[in-house]
Amino acid sequence: MSSSGAQGRSARAVAGTRTGGAGRLAKVLPILEWGRTYDRDVLTNDLVAAVIVTIMLIPQSLAYALLAGLPPVVGLYASILPLVAYAIFGTSRTLAVGPVAVISLMTASAAGAVAAQGTALYLEAAITLAALSGVMLAVMGMLRLGFLANLLSHPVISGFISASGLLIATSQLGHILGIPAGGDNWPEMLGSLASAIGSVNPWTMAIGIPATLFLFWARKGSKPLLLKLGLSARAADISAKIAPVVAVAVTILAVVLLDLGERGVNVVGAIPQGLPPFALPSTDLSLISQLWVPALLISIIGFVESVSVAQTLAAKRRQRISPDQELIGLGASNIASALSGGYPVTGGFARSVVNFDAGAQTPAAGAFTAVGIALAGLFLTPLLFNLPIATLAATIIVAVLSLVDLRTPGRLWRYSKADFAAHMATIGTTLLAGVEMGVIAGVAVGLLLYLWRASRPHAAIVGRVPESEHFRNVERHSVFTVPHILSIRIDESLTYLNARWLEEYVLEQVADRPAVRHVILMCSAVNEIDASGLESLEAINHRLIDAGIGLHLSEVKGPVMDRLQRTRFLDTLNGRVFLSQDRAFRELASNGGPPELPVDDAARGMI
C-alpha cells in the first residue's frame, strides 16, 4: 500500500470531519447555511423586502407598544435587536419577528398585575417578561421540546386568538372615542365604555373613525382600485398593506393644520431619539415568582403562533424549518429584546406575509429591517410627535379584528362537539376572566376531552363482507356473521385509560349472545398495549375460560407482538393468534365448540 494513498484517505477523513463539524454548527447557527450562497440578487430582494416591512413596522410597533401599556418608543426598541438575533439563530427564511397584538395584550395583563401603567416597575416587569420568555424558549429548544406546540389544539388556539382579538379591539375603543376606559376582561371594558360614553371627544372621533374606516377599506378595496389604475398585482398588494403609513401621515398633518392637540386630541408626544438603551431584567425573586407563569404562557402562545406562520410560508417555497431551532431563535430574540429595553416578541403573521410577498429570500431581510427601524429611531421620531393615539388605536383594531374567526364555531359544531366545547370554553373564559385564564382553561378542557375520548375508544362488532376478505362494522354494512363467533375490532391502543372499559365492553357483548363460543379481538388499529391493557386482556381471557369461550387475537402488529411474547399472556391464552381476521373467521366458523388448540406458535411474530 502506497504512502500517497494513505495520505489521500487521511486528507479525506480530515475533510469529512471538518464538513461534519460545519454541518453541526450550521444547525445551531443557520446563518452559516444560507450565508454561503448569499449573492447580489438575494441581497437586492432582501433589501427591497426590508424597506417595505420597515415602512409597515414603524406604526405597528408604536401601536402594539401602546396596547402593551408601554411608551411607544419601546415598540421600536423591540423591533431592532430581536430581528438581528433571529437572523442569526432562526431557520425560517421569511418570518418577521417583532411585537404582535396577542403577546402585547398578554404583556399588559401580566405587567399590570404587578404594577401600574406608566411606572418604572411596569416597564421593568415587561423587560423581565421578555428575558424570562427568552430563557424558557431557549432552554426548551436545547431540550428539543418543539413538539410541545402540539399540546395546544387548533380549536383552542383559534378560540384564544378570536377572543383576544375582541378584547384588544374593545380596549382600543376608548382611544377612538377620546374617553377614558379600562378593564381586564370584556364585561369590565364594556362597562367602562358605557359609563364614559357621555364624555366623547368629537375631534378625536373625527380622527379615529375615518382612520378606522380607511384602514378597513384599504384591506379589501384598495387593491382592486390600484389594479384599475395600472399597478401590477404585486405592487398593488404591497401598496395596500402599507396603508397605515398613509393614515399616520394624513392624521399627523390634520393635527398640525387644525391644531387638534389643543382641542383634546391625545397625541404620542415626544419620543426619545436614538438607539435602544442597554437594559437588564430584574433579579428580584418576588417579581420573578409573579411573572414566570405569564412568561411561560407568553412563550408557548408566541411559539405556536410563530411556528405556524413559519411552516405555512416555508411550505410555499418547499423549504423546511426546525421547530427546536425555532425555539432557540425566538429565545434569542426575546433575550435581545430584554437587553435593549423591549418586551416579548414573536413572529407576526401580517408582517411575515408582507415580507414573503415582497420577495425576502433570507433572514437577512429582517436584519436590514432592524437597520431601517434604528434609522427611524435616530431621525424620524420628531416627526411622530403629533401622531394621534386614535390613529394607532385604529391600526390595532383593524389588525386584530382580522384575527376573529366567526366561521370556526359552526364548522366545529358540525364536525366535532368535543372540539367545539374546547373552542367555546377558551373564548368564554378569555372574554370573562382574561387572557391567562383563557389559555389555561382551553388547555385544561382540551386535555379533559382527550382523556374522556381515550377512556371510551371506538370498538365495533364486525363481520365479513360477502365474497371478500374484508371485515366491516355490522351496523354500517351488509356483512356475513355466524352465531358462535363474536368479532370485535378495537380502534385504539389499549392503555390504562381504556383498559377497564374494554373489559366491560367485551364481557357485556358476550353476555348478550349466549351462542358465542369464540371471541376474536381484531387488533389492526392497536399500536400499543401497556401494562394495564395487558392485565385487562388477561382478565378477559380468564373470564372467557370460565365461560367455556375461546379468546383469539388477529392482525396483531409486530411491535405489539414482540412485547406480548415477553409475557406469560400468550402461554395462558386459551385461543390462537391469527395472521389475518379472514383466516381466524374461516377456521373458527367450522368449529362450534371452545378451542382445544394451543396458541399458534407459527403465527407469532409473523406480523
Side-chain angles (χ1 to χ4, degrees), residues 44-56 355 358 360 364-370 372-373:
T44 301
N45 289 330
D46 284 347
L47 284 173
V48 171
V51 171
I52 294 170
V53 175
T54 299
I55 294 171
M56 175 186 180
N355 196 39
F368 297 145
T369 300
I373 299 293

Side-chain angles (χ1 to χ4, degrees), residues 504-558:
E504 294 174 355
Y505 177 81
V506 171
L507 297 177
E508 179 182 331
Q509 297 301 322
V510 169
D512 292 341
R513 295 167 174 79
V516 167
R517 290 295 176 265
H518 298 278
V519 174
I520 308 172
L521 297 183
M522 186 176 174
C523 302
S524 54
V526 177
N527 296 316
E528 180 186 6
I529 300 176
D530 70 4
S532 299
L534 178 63
E535 288 183 5
S536 286
L537 287 179
E538 292 171 341
I540 293 170
N541 184 48
H542 290 310
R543 294 284 292 274
L544 294 182
I545 289 175
D546 294 339
I549 299 173
L551 175 65
H552 311 270
L553 306 179
S554 74
E555 302 188 8
V556 182
K557 294 184 176 180

Side-chain angles (χ1 to χ4, degrees), residues 61 64-65 68 70 74-75 78 99-100 103-104 107 126-127 130 334 337-338 341-345:
S61 299
Y64 290 150
L70 297 165
V74 176
V100 300
I103 300 303
S104 297
T107 299
I127 294 173
N334 277 280
S337 182
Y343 69 102
V345 297

Side-chain angles (χ1 to χ4, degrees), residues 365-383:
F368 297 145
T369 300
V371 173
I373 299 293
L375 292 175
L378 284 170
F379 303 111
L380 299 183
T381 52
L383 301 177

Side-chain angles (χ1 to χ4, degrees), residues 117-386:
Q117 287 190 14
T119 64
L121 181 58
Y122 187 94
L123 177 58
E124 185 179 22
I127 294 173
T128 304
L129 275 172
L132 289 173
S133 178
V135 171
M136 290 176 179
L137 287 165
V139 170
M140 287 191 288
M142 293 174 187
L143 297 177
R144 305 184 67 82
L145 298 180
F147 67 90
L148 290 177
N150 300 329
L151 294 178
L152 290 176
S153 67
H154 176 73
V156 169
I157 289 295
S158 175
F160 173 74
I161 290 177
S162 291
S164 296
L166 290 174
L167 282 177
I168 292 169
T170 305
S171 71
Q172 298 305 302
L173 288 178
H175 297 302
I176 295 290
L177 301 175
I179 57 177
D184 296 323
N185 54 57
W186 216 27
E188 290 180 2
M189 291 177 183
L190 293 175
S192 177
L193 288 170
S195 63
I197 198 67
S199 58
V200 167
N201 185 307
W203 294 103
T204 301
M205 285 179 59
I207 290 288
I209 293 178
T212 305
L213 294 176
F214 167 73
L215 292 174
F216 271 121
W217 171 81
R219 279 183 170 264
K220 299 292 184 182
S222 61
K223 183 176 179 180
L225 177 62
L226 293 171
L227 289 173
K228 289 181 181 179
L229 294 176
L231 267 70
S232 66
R234 181 181 177 185
D237 188 53
I238 293 173
S239 299
K241 287 182 171 63
I242 61 174
V245 177
V246 177
V248 166
V250 171
T251 53
I252 288 176
L253 191 61
V255 168
V256 173
L257 295 178
L258 301 176
D259 197 20
L260 296 182
E262 298 298 322
R263 301 175 188 271
V265 174
N266 291 326
V267 296
V268 169
I271 299 176
Q273 221 173 335
L275 296 175
F278 178 74
L280 287 174
S282 174
T283 56
D284 183 355
L285 294 181
S286 63
L287 179 62
I288 293 174
S289 66
Q290 292 177 280
L291 294 178
W292 77 268
V293 171
L296 179 61
L297 295 177
I298 287 172
S299 300
I300 294 174
I301 293 295
F303 172 62
V304 171
E305 180 178 354
S306 178
V307 80
S308 299
V309 176
Q311 287 175 335
T312 299
L313 297 179
K316 292 183 177 182
R317 292 183 179 172
R318 297 188 178 184
Q319 297 169 345
R320 296 181 61 188
I321 68 165
S322 168
D324 295 325
Q325 185 61 32
E326 282 298 289
L327 283 167
I328 295 176
L330 291 175
S333 297
N334 277 280
I335 292 172
S337 182
L339 294 177
S340 57
Y343 69 102
V345 297
T346 192
F349 178 77
R351 70 174 68 98
S352 296
V353 170
V354 171
N355 196 39
F356 180 91
D357 291 341
Q361 298 295 311
T362 72
F368 297 145
T369 300
V371 173
I373 299 293
L375 292 175
L378 284 170
F379 303 111
L380 299 183
T381 52
L383 301 177
L384 300 174
F385 182 93
N386 290 303

